[in-house]
Amino acid sequence: MTLRRRNKQPLPAFGPGVQVQAAQLPGKALLWLVAAFTLLLVPQWDRLPVWLLGICVALMGWRWLARLGRVRLPERWWRTGLVVVLGGVYLATVNSQLTVDTAASFFALCVALKWLETRSARDFYVLFFILLYMAAVNFCFIRPYTGPCLILPR
Amino acid sequence: MTMKKPTIDGFWQRWANRRLPRSDRQTFSQKNLFILPTGAGVTFGALLLVMLITGINYQNSLIYMLTFVLGGVFVGAIHQTHRNLAGLTLALSRAGEAIAGDTVPFSLRLTAGKDDAIAVQVSSGGSLPVWVSVPAGQSRDVSVLLWAPSRGYVRPDRIRIETRYPFGLLKVWSWLRPVSAGLAFAKPIAAPELSATAEDGESEAVASVQAGSDSADLRPWREGDYSQRVLWKRFARTGQLVVADWQGQSGNPQWLDFQTFIGVNSEMRLCYLAFLVGDHQRLNARYGLSLPGQLIEPDSGAAHALRCQRALAVWGLEKPCDPLPWRFGNRLKPTSADPESLDVASNGSPQ
């Protein structure tokens, strides 16, 4: 966690009205975020729907390719379209159930969509914060150890 | 000027100014550094709160752990960010000069204390921020450009220094309130043609005042006179070698007079004079400057031109100064000259 946080350091602090463009962000920052997202997806591979996993990997790959200069980040209408379509698919699959499971998949979808809107340092902050909360939600699936924690000698 | 209405903002300004007396040199410590979370920091705090609630709700120790570790990182970041500026000395090394409408450079020197000062941003008002990193014990020079809209003294009320270094979650800032002022010269505006004729008349007027100092004496040629000085036309006419003997080495000094341009407002007159000074400097001529209340004797050269330009820049203006330098801390022994003590004496006397 601290590693990823320390990695935020090179992001130049943005002064009032000065938006730091993503192009100026160091490449390592994006690499760390991609690694973190992958790490957070791994324990959820059997819980998340397959299409969502695919979307996550695809959008993350898109951002990475944009970083390398192979493709361009989508325009505003493209992004809106993607949000509407994927949001619709998500709502259809959760079927108005509200469980920890659906919450976890919702955060995965959020991060996946946020990849496409990472232009300024501010976007990276938002992405990072969602990732943090996703990490917290991941802990909900760990079955707590309910046995005696500490046997005190009498 | 500003109204004397007591506002929160005004109160805050006065409170901050008491901690930062006007000085060309400021060493930052916990007494004059201000620290607050940035927008990202506030969001981070809210996120921690939500994570804590989630942890409580699901009674999940791992979420607790994550939350508290992150909270610890945040508290550590407070100290780290603060230490970034603590011990740093910011000094104004030179307040620059420029033509009005241009930017005046203010040279600043940052000297780090025993800790590094990383990603420090120096700015003033609307100027573009300058980024600098100063390793421990070293110093760096930066230049902040201030826009000067009109001629006169240029003194930024505050030069701001800020850093958000480790995570960008917090910002720590302070100000340098310089005493020294830079200078903005009058903007040269091409003087109208009228000035040429007016100046002739004017120089005659000055000449009469100066007891014929510009009248050329005619005398017979002597050995050693320059051939350029011989009036050859007269020689052709009369056959006499006559030399015009001017006062001074390079001819009649021209006077650039404020009173020349009648019917023009004084700012415009100064602009015309600034142009003429530049013009004469280019021709390397001898000239003097006459302003109401100020007379600069005729001379030539770059130093003289600079002196004239400075005189034009500050004519009719007063050097900015603060009526009373407030001292920080009320435990300092008040002196009789200290206006604060007088204040206390008049207010604090028991009835």
Side-chain angles (χ1 to χ4, degrees):
Chain A
M1 190 54 58
T2 36
L3 269 181
R4 240 189 307 145
R5 288 194 45 74
R6 202 174 300 147
N7 188 53
K8 299 289 284 186
Q9 288 174 17
L11 303 183
F14 38 97
V18 180
Q19 284 281 309
V20 181
Q21 292 302 306
Q24 294 171 332
L25 296 169
K28 272 168 101 182
L30 190 65
L31 190 65
W32 276 105
L33 284 171
V34 165
F37 188 43
T38 316
L39 190 70
L40 288 176
L41 281 183
V42 167
Q44 308 192 67
W45 70 274
D46 54 344
R47 288 197 303 271
L48 291 182
V50 181
W51 68 268
L52 188 56
L53 274 174
I55 286 290
C56 286
V57 172
L59 295 184
M60 192 164 61
W62 191 343
R63 183 66 185 87
W64 186 247
L65 287 177
R67 160 88 212 164
L68 296 178
R70 303 274 176 79
V71 291
R72 286 172 57 193
L73 282 179
E75 298 297 317
R76 186 182 182 154
W77 291 111
W78 256 101
R79 285 204 307 260
T80 315
L82 267 172
V83 169
V84 170
V85 169
L86 291 177
V89 173
Y90 173 76
L91 284 179
T93 44
V94 298
N95 217 356
S96 71
Q97 302 162 354
L98 192 64
T99 61
V100 180
D101 232 341
T102 56
S105 52
F106 175 73
F107 285 116
L109 185 66
C110 281
V111 177
L113 286 169
K114 191 65 193 167
W115 281 120
L116 298 182
E117 206 197 29
T118 44
R119 289 172 192 279
S120 60
R122 183 195 163 95
D123 291 327
F124 280 97
Y125 271 110
V126 172
L127 186 65
F128 171 68
F129 290 152
I130 312 174
L131 281 177
L132 269 188
Y133 198 69
M134 207 173 139
V137 170
N138 257 347
F139 285 139
C140 288
F141 297 103
I142 294 178
R143 191 161 293 281
Y145 176 64
T146 49
C149 291
L150 190 65
I151 300 166
L152 293 171
R154 295 201 172 239
Chain B
M1 290 304 286
T2 52
M3 277 172 62
K4 287 283 174 192
K5 208 170 142 189
T7 56
I8 296 286
D9 203 35
F11 175 78
W12 154 246
Q13 294 291 333
R14 262 176 282 128
W15 183 82
N17 286 354
R18 263 207 305 281
R19 268 147 189 79
L20 296 158
R22 275 214 179 266
S23 163
D24 279 346
R25 186 186 180 81
Q26 187 78 54
T27 301
F28 300 110
S29 69
Q30 55 193 0
K31 277 185 182 170
N32 47 26
L33 281 177
F34 308 96
I35 185 166
L36 275 181
T38 57
V42 172
T43 317
F44 185 71
L47 177 77
L48 287 188
L49 198 65
V50 170
M51 279 167 71
L52 184 67
I53 292 169
T54 313
I56 294 170
N57 196 24
Y58 290 99
Q59 296 192 1
N60 192 312
S61 327
L62 286 168
I63 297 180
Y64 281 139
M65 187 195 73
L66 183 62
T67 310
F68 296 145
V69 165
L70 288 176
V73 167
F74 190 78
V75 172
I78 295 175
H79 291 286
Q80 221 173 341
T81 314
H82 179 263
R83 206 176 53 196
N84 213 8
L85 279 196
L88 184 77
T89 302
L90 181 64
L92 179 67
S93 47
R94 206 178 77 86
E97 293 170 341
I99 293 170
D102 214 340
T103 50
V104 180
F106 277 74
S107 302
L108 298 159
R109 168 159 287 204
L110 291 94
T111 310
K114 61 182 196 297
D115 297 304
D116 296 344
I118 301 162
V120 175
Q121 179 189 346
V122 186
S123 64
S124 178
S127 76
L128 280 177
V130 183
W131 295 91
V132 64
S133 290
V134 192
Q138 296 188 23
S139 49
R140 293 277 183 278
D141 291 313
V142 297
S143 188
V144 175
L145 298 174
L146 260 111
W147 183 62
S150 57
R151 73 172 181 103
Y153 293 102
V154 180
R155 189 174 73 164
D157 187 39
R158 292 161 162 205
I159 293 174
R160 184 185 168 99
I161 181 167
E162 182 186 316
T163 183
R164 309 182 175 196
Y165 162 58
F167 302 132
L169 299 178
L170 297 137
K171 62 175 173 189
V172 57
W173 77 96
S174 191
W175 293 283
L176 172 73
R177 303 176 65 228
V179 178
S180 306
L183 216 54
F185 298 134
K187 190 183 183 125
I189 294 176
E193 279 305 310
L194 157 143
S195 70
T197 56
E199 220 162 89
D200 282 350
E202 190 270 316
S203 67
E204 274 170 25
V206 172
S208 65
V209 167
Q210 300 213 331
S213 70
D214 82 329
S215 59
D217 294 326
L218 299 182
R219 59 173 176 76
W221 182 82
R222 288 196 300 252
E223 219 174 329
D225 279 328
Y226 287 113
S227 60
Q228 296 102 306
R229 285 208 184 166
V230 174
L231 298 177
W232 293 110
K233 277 182 184 173
R234 203 183 175 98
F235 176 69
R237 209 163 54 232
T238 63
Q240 296 173 330
L241 267 179
V242 174
V243 170
D245 203 8
W246 300 94
Q247 293 276 326
Q249 194 66 14
S250 54
N252 173 30
Q254 261 189 307
W255 281 93
L256 309 179
D257 194 347
F258 185 81
Q259 306 296 353
T260 307
F261 310 98
I262 300 156
V264 185
N265 72 19
S266 52
E267 287 300 314
M268 203 60 168
R269 292 183 191 200
L270 293 170
C271 293
Y272 288 160
L273 288 174
F275 172 80
L276 290 175
V277 167
D279 209 35
H280 283 72
Q281 156 68 9
R282 222 171 298 118
L283 299 172
N284 207 15
R286 270 173 67 85
Y287 58 93
L289 183 64
S290 160
L291 294 171
Q294 194 176 8
L295 197 76
I296 297 180
E297 290 299 322
D299 200 352
S300 61
H304 177 62
L306 190 61
R307 189 171 161 223
C308 292
Q309 292 285 17
R310 282 184 179 150
L312 289 173
V314 303
W315 181 81
L317 299 175
E318 284 198 15
K319 205 175 172 73
C321 66
D322 287 293
L324 28 123
W326 290 78
R327 293 201 318 212
F328 172 67
N330 48 11
R331 268 176 286 178
L332 292 170
K333 193 177 165 72
T335 57
S336 57
D338 198 344
E340 265 179 281
S341 64
L342 297 175
D343 223 4
V344 169
S346 59
N347 290 339
S349 54
Q351 297 297 316

